[in-house]
Each structure stands twice: as C-alpha cells, then as structure tokens.
Amino acid sequence: KKEVKYGQLTELPRQDEAMKKWRSNRFGQFIHWGLYAIPGGIWEGKTYKYAAEFLKSSAGISTATWDSLQYQFNPVKFDAKEWAKMAKDMGVKYVTITTKHHEGFCLWPSKYTDFDIENTPYRKDLLGEFIKAYNEEGIDVSLYYSVLDWHHPDWRYKLNTEEDKAAFERLKAFTENQLLELLERYPTVKGLWFDGTWDQCWKDNGKFSYDLEKKLKEKNPGLIVNSRMRADEYGSRHFDSNGVLMGDYESGYERRLPNPWDVAVTKNDWECCMTIPENQWGYHKDWTLTHIKTSNELIEMLVQCTSQNGNFLLNFGPRGEGNFREKEVKLAKEIGDWMDDNSSVIYNCGYAGLKKQSWGYFTKSSDSDDAINMVVFNKPINGKYRVKLNKGSIIKRAYLLSKPKKSFNLEEIANGEYFLDDVKGKCKDPFVIIIELEDKDSKKFKQKALT
Ligand SMILES: C[C@@H]1N[C@@H](C(=O)NCc2ccccc2)[C@H](O)[C@@H]1O
C-alpha cells in the first residue's frame, strides 16, 4: 500500500442527510447548453458528425472566431419555468447544468471573466433564473464545471516549462475563484460535477484538487462532488493509488453502464450520465446521424442503474434560442408517463441483494425489508417468471403494481425459488411485479423462548 496524503477526503459511503437525498433521487436531468448550441454541429454549411460541443475543435475554428458566438447568444425562447416543469413531469429529482463547458463560456455573470452571459444580448443571470425555477419545482440543482478551458489564456495541457507552471498557477486560482463564486451566488446548489480533468496538468496537481474539495465543502457543508474532480498526489484519478474512491460518488460511467450482473459496483455510490443520440451532449441540428434511443431503452437504463445502487443522469441539449427539440420533449413525456405509475421502484430504491435474472431487474426500497420489486422488460416464452430469492425467503404474495388486488399463483421450486404464473394480456411498457415476503419474525422463524 502506498502512503496517500491527498486521496479520499470524506469517508464513504456518506450517510449524512444530503447524501441520503442524493442517493434517493436516483433520476436526474443533465443539461448541456452553451455557445455550441448556436451552430449545432454545422459550420459553414458542413455537417460535422462529432459531438456538437466539440465543433470548435472538429471544424478547426479559431478561438477568436468561436468566441464571437458570444455576441449571438440570445435565447429569446428560454423559459426557465417551462424547462423546470418539463423536468418535473419527466420525474427527475435533480438536475445538473453546464455552467461552463470546455469552450470556457460562462452561463452566469462572473467577476473573473468577460466571456460570460453578461456580455451577450441576453445580459441577465441565466443560471440564477434556471436554479430558482428548478428549486421552485422541488428539483435539486448540481452544477457542471469544466476545468479544461479552451478560452482561458493560462490553460496548459502539460506543465513542461516554468512559464507553463506559472500560467497554470493562474488557471488554478481562476478555477478556485469561479467555483467559490458559484457557491456564493447560488447557495441552494447541492453538488458540483467536475469535467475536463483528464490532462497531465491536473494529474500533476492532486494536492490542489484535495485542498479545493476541502475548501468547497467548508463553503457549502453537505456539498456533493463527483470522483472526476479528483487526482491524488501520484496522479491517480477517481480512485486513489490504493484504489480508494475519491469525491462522493463514482462518475466514470459516461455513455455506458456496468454489466447488469456486476455486484462490485453496488458497493459505492455512482452515477451514469447518458446521451439520447450515441454521442451528442450539446444541441446538434442533425439527429439522423446516429441511433436515437427510445424511451423504453432509457427507462431500462434508469431501472438498471437503480438495481445496482446507481443514479441515472439523462442529458438534454437545448437549442441556442432556448427551447428543446420536439423529440426530446416527446421522450421526456413518455418517460414521465412511465414514472407516474412506477416511480416507487426508482425513488429511494437500490440493489435488492439478488442475482440478475433474465426477465428484468430487481429493485428494493430502502424503507421496506419485506417487499421486492421486479421490473419486467422480457416476458418469458414459457409464460412463467422464475424468481430466485435468498434461501429462506418465503413469498407471501406476488402481484402487479398496476393491479394490486390480483395475486399471482405461486409454485415453489426450491428453497427461496418460485415460478410465478404469467401476466395476462399485452404489455407494451416495462411493468412491475411486487413480491411481498413473509417477514423474518413470522411464526415460521419465531425462536422458541429460552426460559
Ligand atoms: C460529460 C461529457 N464529457 C465531455 C467529454 O466527453 N469530453 C471529452 C473530451 C476529450 C478530449 C477533448 C475534449 C473533450 C462531453 O462534452 C460531456 O460534457
């Protein structure tokens, strides 16, 4: 084991109220919004199929040209209350918005740069309006912040020369100042989502990231930061050089999920962030370039994350003028319709301690010991659901969440293993079977009193 002085700051898993709320939220909305939403992946009539928020680099656009987009940023269709309502109806409990992406443009009026919302035709504190509207809908707000900053003159990928080091010291001070400014201006913020921390410059500054996490958590007690924020003094990221998780939850699942049978992943808090197209975070005008995920695909990812103790952060990329494309509004509604009937198997739920089975996913509420949720995505050909619980588990009753009065016939196959009879009728959506267990104190388990 290496001696690590600048690794994990907070003992995990955190059991404070703020973290318990984060954990119970399970479902969040990611918003990528910035100057990149104006060109939307198309530059001088050419469509670039890469992620729209990288158009500057994929189209080889100079910083001066790119930055002049600032004078076109005027989201006249932006209605924070409407956005927050859409998110509420979709069933998310938290939102994470890009305050500053790699391009360096800030959605809030920052004292530390002119490359911000104040110097656009919009002028107003857009981020403040956003936070207020989402909080009023009861949605927790977390802020995405990219350390990587293509605009800032002091950004350096590697620190080779003394000049590089002097410049990056200024960049570090700028970063710390902006983050403290965000927490000062927006005290209701629950978390910070760091990105753009993969380069050598950051890996060479593990102690700085440790001290920064400490300072930010002193400023905003209960603050939740992702593992991507951190490097230790040896340059190890997310996990320190002894494999100990840093930050408050693991944030390496980007556009991918763990294997559904992976149990190790349930040991830590973690979050998967996901795009609707294959790889577009910012608004891209052309959504014919790749597969666009359906609501059933996205619901399955949300359920899988919950089943393995993870959160699911689904990304939306609004247009430069401040409205969402119709396909995103439609998906939000379809997911929200499903959540209206089934959110009880998501909110405050997690790993049921059971092996993954072919019909779908188990989830279990943190509040109940004798109920288990089966979320079905694959109806079995033989019409019976094989359910393997822990040895000694006795099913008292099994029924559809949507038809609680009608119990399934049960056939016990072995200790803790049953067949449930089929669900009649067509099921176009994923559906839930509730398994009620005999509680451990029932007569069967009553210990004889010792007298
Ligand atoms: C959460 C996502 N992380 C960003 C990302 O993939 N960055 C990768 C990257 C790699 C190399 C140069 C710039 C950016 C995406 O733009 C999203 O913000």
Side-chain angles (χ1 to χ4, degrees):
K1 262 168 101 68
K2 264 183 170 177
E3 198 235 348
V4 176
K5 283 166 59 185
Y6 303 108
Q8 185 183 80
L9 177 78
T10 313
E11 170 118 21
L12 300 180
R14 279 176 45 177
Q15 296 302 351
D16 55 285
E17 287 315 306
M19 197 69 204
K20 284 182 178 171
K21 175 64 169 61
W22 183 91
R23 196 171 286 141
S24 73
N25 285 346
R26 286 296 177 233
F27 186 25
Q29 178 188 41
F30 214 164
I31 301 253
H32 273 73
W33 202 23
L35 301 182
Y36 42 78
I38 297 169
I42 298 179
W43 193 259
E44 292 171 347
K46 187 174 183 315
T47 298
Y48 291 81
K49 64 180 189 321
Y50 305 106
E53 70 280 5
F54 299 138
L55 183 65
K56 179 177 185 278
S57 48
S58 35
I61 300 162
S62 73
T63 298
T65 302
W66 184 265
D67 292 0
S68 67
L69 285 168
Q70 158 176 32
Y71 304 110
Q72 296 174 47
F73 193 73
N74 188 16
V76 292
K77 293 185 179 166
F78 175 56
D79 178 334
K81 286 189 169 56
E82 202 176 276
W83 283 26
K85 182 77 175 63
M86 181 181 98
K88 179 78 176 181
D89 292 350
M90 173 164 63
V92 297
K93 291 283 188 187
Y94 70 107
V95 65
T96 299
I97 182 167
T98 51
T99 60
K100 181 188 78 143
H101 201 259
H102 308 335
E103 64 182 4
F105 175 70
C106 301
L107 287 183
W108 83 98
S110 173
K111 290 197 298 263
Y112 303 98
T113 179
D114 292 338
F115 193 42
D116 66 3
I117 193 74
E118 212 166 7
N119 298 292
T120 69
Y122 189 78
R123 298 195 58 73
K124 297 182 302 264
D125 176 4
L126 187 151
L127 181 60
E129 293 170 351
F130 175 92
I131 293 169
K132 182 172 177 294
Y134 272 75
N135 282 168
E136 281 169 359
E137 285 287 355
I139 297 173
D140 294 340
V141 176
S142 161
L143 302 181
Y144 166 111
Y145 182 90
S146 175
V147 171
L148 166 59
D149 188 321
W150 293 330
H151 169 85
H152 200 289
D154 291 325
W155 172 263
R156 298 288 185 283
Y157 288 94
K158 287 195 175 75
L159 310 179
N160 297 323
T161 66
E162 284 317 303
E163 197 282 331
D164 288 342
K165 288 178 188 146
F168 203 71
E169 285 308 302
R170 293 191 295 270
L171 193 283
K172 282 155 62 177
F174 167 78
T175 300
E176 180 170 317
N177 287 336
Q178 284 209 314
L179 288 161
L180 289 168
E181 177 182 50
L182 282 167
L183 295 186
E184 177 68 26
R185 290 181 59 89
Y186 311 111
T188 65
V189 156
K190 301 294 179 212
L192 290 172
W193 207 102
F194 285 80
D195 201 13
T197 55
W198 41 76
D199 290 299
Q200 195 57 43
C201 56
W202 195 254
K203 287 157 72 168
D204 290 351
N205 277 281
K207 177 181 182 306
F208 175 74
S209 73
Y210 177 92
D211 294 339
L212 181 59
E213 179 182 353
K214 198 156 180 287
K215 209 169 279 185
L216 295 169
K217 287 184 169 179
E218 281 158 5
K219 173 94 181 145
N220 179 324
L223 186 74
I224 295 166
V225 303
N226 62 340
S227 58
R228 199 177 295 204
M229 170 189 190
R230 295 294 322 282
D232 72 4
E233 64 265 42
Y234 304 97
S236 181
R237 294 182 58 238
H238 293 271
F239 292 84
D240 77 8
S241 301
N242 293 321
V244 176
L245 183 63
M246 298 183 282
D248 299 305
Y249 63 93
E250 207 271 307
S251 65
Y253 289 103
E254 178 170 321
R255 292 189 292 113
R256 65 186 176 95
L257 283 111
N259 288 323
W261 55 84
D262 180 345
V263 175
V265 74
T266 67
K267 299 288 177 286
N268 287 317
D269 288 306
W270 58 279
E271 178 192 70
C272 163
C273 57
M274 187 56 68
T275 52
I276 295 175
E278 279 319 287
N279 184 11
Q280 294 294 341
W281 297 92
Y283 175 73
H284 197 297
K285 285 175 181 161
D286 186 350
W287 263 25
T288 64
L289 298 168
T290 71
H291 172 65
I292 302 299
K293 298 178 188 75
T294 63
S295 49
N296 274 341
E297 284 175 78
L298 297 166
I299 291 165
E300 181 160 2
M301 291 178 182
L302 167 62
V303 170
Q304 182 189 332
C305 288
T306 302
S307 77
Q308 293 176 278
N309 277 347
N311 283 13
F312 186 60
L313 187 66
L314 179 59
N315 184 69
F316 288 74
R319 295 191 180 94
E321 51 198 336
N323 58 355
F324 292 96
R325 63 180 349 117
E326 294 62 38
K327 270 192 177 179
E328 286 188 338
V329 173
K330 184 167 176 285
L331 282 168
K333 171 120 182 37
E334 290 168 358
I335 296 168
D337 289 347
W338 189 83
M339 288 294 278
D340 285 347
D341 300 332
N342 301 285
S343 62
S344 61
V345 306
I346 301 293
Y347 300 149
N348 200 29
C349 287
Y351 176 52
L354 299 169
K355 276 166 71 77
K356 167 84 177 70
Q357 287 156 35
S358 55
W359 38 260
Y361 307 83
F362 285 116
T363 77
K364 191 173 91 52
S365 165
S366 317
D367 293 340
S368 84
D369 273 341
D370 43 22
I372 293 174
N373 309 311
M374 291 173 54
V375 193
V376 178
F377 289 84
N378 315 303
K379 282 188 75 175
I381 291 285
N382 66 8
K384 286 184 179 294
Y385 295 82
R386 190 179 194 113
V387 182
K388 193 168 171 41
L389 304 171
N390 291 320
K391 290 225 178 310
S393 292
I394 310 268
I395 297 184
K396 182 160 69 177
R397 196 164 86 87
Y399 56 90
L400 281 175
L401 176 60
S402 57
K403 296 194 186 79
K405 299 253 182 313
K406 195 183 167 318
S407 300
F408 284 87
N409 294 320
L410 304 171
E411 181 194 343
E412 190 165 358
I413 316 169
N415 183 345
E417 194 162 359
Y418 293 81
F419 270 123
L420 310 185
D421 60 14
D422 193 8
V423 176
K424 299 283 176 278
K426 260 189 78 49
C427 315
K428 65 177 176 44
D429 296 331
F431 58 88
V432 174
I433 297 173
I434 304 290
I435 301 279
E436 271 177 10
L437 298 174
E438 291 291 356
D439 64 26
K440 287 280 174 271
D441 305 332
S442 73
K443 60 186 178 322
K444 195 168 165 67
F445 292 97
K446 190 70 73 198
Q447 299 302 330
K448 281 238 175 304
L450 298 173
T451 54

